[in-house]
Amino acid sequence: GPTRKMPLTASAMDFFQLFVPDNVLKNMVVQTNMYAKKYQERFGSDDAWIEVTLTEMKAFLGYMISTSIHHCESVLSIWSSGFYSNKSIALIMTQSRFEKILKYFHIVAFRSSQTTHSLYKIQPFLDSLQNGFDSAFRPSQAQVLHEPLIDEDPVFIATCTERELRKRKKRKFSLWVRQCSSTGFICQIYVHLKEGSGADGLDALKNKPQLHSMVAKSLCQNASGKNYIIFTGPSITSLNLFEEFEKQEIYCCGLLSTRKSDCTGLPPSMLNNSETPQSRGQYRIRMKGNMSLICWYNKGHFRFLTNAYSPVQQGVIIKRKSGEIPCPLAVEAFAAHLSYICKYDDKYSKYFISHKPNKTWQQVFWFAISIAINNAYILYKMSEAYHVTRYSRAQFGERLVKELLGLEDTSPSH
């Protein structure tokens, strides 16, 4: 749960600023102004440009965040006369001023001579965000590694052409998270860039174990020695990775797939389906030290690899039609934690910012901001302030937008 107690009067802005404080916003102001100055030195002066202020930067973020609530495809719809226009917030800043800030917006204006990382334009922000996640929240023992569902607006998908859809699918990165499975709080973000379309590109590595093993190690680099139980999907699950994690006191439970998983070191007899007909709930087990390989049957064979649960402990899967199906405890735990993440995706994925810029670092930035707001709402729901006001996720987003635009007085808190 939360590591600090927020006051009853804490506003949406107070929770958001646990992760994106004023000093981070001030840095955006400085870097944007520096980039604008350098850009104009190179390409000619822009008479319409005036240096951006902290108040304007907050309003700029507020306009972008409003697209996550109203799902307008273009943020510029706010100033239009169409369905997505929003006269109540359009008066805070003119469209031309917003477009100027959008043109020059930067988090890191210049590449330093030592920089080799492809995400250098956003890495300081991601590091600051990670510090905020670590200091504001203590996760439960059970956590999940996965790619969060980033929802697309169904109205847009239904109306756009096939060519537009193809253009949008070319995301040049994959976003992975380590998530607390009892609250949905995202503890860590990992961005893997598609460096190129060659043999080492993300597309080429999509089903290769080395990429997913690298992702898992990066997401768990701060988790060693804490006795966490990490649930993984088939692409990450492997004997070598789980044994490596066990040395760091990280325990695992993962679904195994003969097609997607690295099955090196696992007995072939357990990976082949039994020819004799089996009844639902039957399972076989093979052990090596603390590691158990479980083959469980339920209208098909499901394999699990775990060193977090004893294979002899009994559990049960409850189905609405077929009632209780016996299974090892590891299978029950895996199903419970993964179903929670599905509920999280259903509830929060629709609140990702709709703005889709061309630049990869900006796409990553808006995804990261969306995750920060979802995390802020989760902390709000666990605070005493929630019992006073009880905002839904949409209402919380609307409050945050108004507070960033200066339309609401934020209550003094800390």
Side-chain angles (χ1 to χ4, degrees):
T3 57
R4 70 189 78 179
K5 188 176 180 181
M6 298 292 278
L8 289 170
T9 55
S11 64
M13 186 76 159
D14 291 327
F15 287 98
F16 176 65
Q17 292 214 299
L18 292 172
F19 310 125
V20 188
D22 267 355
N23 65 317
V24 171
L25 298 175
K26 285 173 184 172
N27 181 61
M28 291 179 196
V29 170
V30 170
Q31 296 294 328
T32 299
N33 288 331
M34 282 171 59
Y35 180 79
K37 184 180 177 184
K38 195 73 177 176
Y39 184 94
Q40 289 172 49
E41 284 174 5
R42 187 174 176 186
F43 298 108
S45 64
D46 183 348
D47 295 334
W49 173 252
I50 305 164
E51 287 205 338
V52 69
T53 64
L54 179 61
T55 303
E56 285 183 312
M57 185 58 72
K58 286 182 178 179
F60 172 76
L61 290 179
Y63 283 126
M64 286 298 195
I65 292 166
S66 72
T67 67
S68 68
I69 306 154
H70 305 294
H71 300 290
C72 47
E73 181 49 33
S74 169
V75 66
L76 301 180
S77 304
I78 292 167
W79 292 274
S80 72
S81 55
F83 180 76
Y84 290 114
S85 65
N86 192 332
K87 297 287 184 284
S88 63
I89 64 174
L91 299 172
I92 303 298
M93 184 185 289
T94 64
Q95 181 179 338
S96 60
R97 179 58 177 162
F98 175 86
E99 289 184 88
K100 283 292 177 195
I101 298 172
L102 181 60
K103 178 181 177 180
Y104 296 122
F105 176 67
H106 266 71
I107 294 160
V108 175
F110 309 113
R111 182 196 288 262
S112 68
S113 54
Q114 295 86 25
T115 304
T116 55
H117 200 287
S118 305
L119 282 173
Y120 77 94
K121 280 182 178 281
I122 194 179
Q123 197 59 54
F125 174 76
L126 294 178
D127 293 342
S128 168
L129 204 60
Q130 189 58 56
N131 290 336
F133 291 169
D134 291 342
S135 61
F137 185 81
R138 191 183 298 107
S140 64
Q141 185 185 28
Q143 293 163 42
V144 181
L145 305 187
H146 72 122
E147 286 185 274
L149 181 68
I150 298 168
D151 208 9
E152 292 281 13
D153 179 17
V155 175
F156 172 75
I157 293 300
T159 56
C160 73
T161 63
E162 203 173 310
R163 184 168 172 270
E164 285 173 319
L165 268 178
R166 277 202 305 272
K167 277 173 69 180
R168 291 169 69 83
K169 283 180 182 173
K170 293 177 182 175
R171 242 197 304 143
K172 295 182 180 177
F173 64 93
S174 63
L175 186 75
W176 294 74
V177 299
R178 175 164 58 86
Q179 189 167 17
C180 169
S181 62
S182 56
T183 60
F185 189 95
I186 289 177
C187 309
Q188 192 157 352
I189 299 171
Y190 177 76
V191 180
H192 183 82
L193 274 186
K194 178 180 174 181
E195 301 293 351
S197 54
D200 296 329
L202 177 61
D203 288 342
L205 288 171
K206 192 66 181 171
N207 294 317
K208 292 188 178 179
Q210 64 264 34
L211 167 66
H212 298 103
S213 176
M214 179 189 75
V215 168
K217 288 173 188 173
S218 299
L219 284 170
C220 294
Q221 59 190 1
N222 300 328
S224 58
K226 296 179 181 176
N227 289 316
Y228 288 154
I229 297 174
I230 304 293
F231 292 89
T232 63
S235 59
I236 292 178
T237 303
S238 81
L239 179 62
N240 291 336
L241 180 67
F242 283 14
E243 286 178 337
E244 198 173 320
F245 275 166
E246 190 173 354
K247 292 172 187 171
Q248 302 171 37
E249 296 179 45
I250 301 170
Y251 301 94
C252 303
C253 180
L255 182 64
L256 198 68
S257 160
T258 51
R259 191 168 55 87
K260 291 183 180 178
S261 305
D262 177 6
C263 296
T264 308
L266 299 174
S269 60
M270 291 291 285
L271 302 176
N272 299 323
N273 293 337
S274 165
E275 291 181 7
T276 55
Q278 291 185 292
S279 58
R280 296 177 75 177
Q282 280 191 324
Y283 56 89
R284 295 179 292 149
I285 298 167
R286 285 286 293 275
M287 294 187 69
K288 176 190 174 186
N290 292 330
M291 200 71 66
S292 308
L293 175 56
I294 301 165
C295 182
W296 176 68
Y297 184 81
N298 177 26
K299 290 188 176 179
H301 290 89
F302 294 89
R303 294 171 180 84
F304 297 86
L305 190 64
T306 182
N307 55 5
Y309 297 92
S310 164
V312 296
Q313 282 185 289
Q314 290 295 308
V316 68
I317 299 282
I318 300 172
K319 297 283 185 182
R320 271 180 295 186
K321 290 184 180 177
S322 40
E324 295 185 352
I325 303 165
C327 66
L329 184 62
V331 178
E332 181 189 337
F334 184 90
H337 292 295
L338 264 289
S339 70
Y340 190 94
I341 296 307
C342 290
K343 286 176 188 171
Y344 172 90
D345 280 343
D346 289 344
K347 183 171 184 178
Y348 293 105
S349 64
K350 64 171 75 75
Y351 295 109
F352 276 76
I353 290 167
S354 297
H355 176 66
K356 300 290 188 293
N358 292 326
K359 289 186 168 57
T360 299
W361 73 265
Q362 290 184 5
Q363 292 173 21
V364 174
F365 175 76
W366 297 118
F367 284 141
I369 286 283
S370 302
I371 288 171
I373 299 167
N374 285 340
N375 276 356
Y377 181 69
I378 289 167
L379 290 189
Y380 160 72
K381 281 197 78 174
M382 288 190 281
S383 75
E384 292 179 1
Y386 178 69
H387 300 293
V388 177
T389 49
R390 289 189 176 270
Y391 293 130
S392 66
R393 172 62 184 84
Q395 289 170 329
F396 182 85
E398 285 173 353
R399 294 286 300 186
L400 178 59
V401 168
K402 287 181 178 178
E403 287 163 21
L404 283 165
L405 289 165
L407 294 171
E408 297 278 350
D409 291 328
T410 55
S411 307
S413 57
H414 35 265

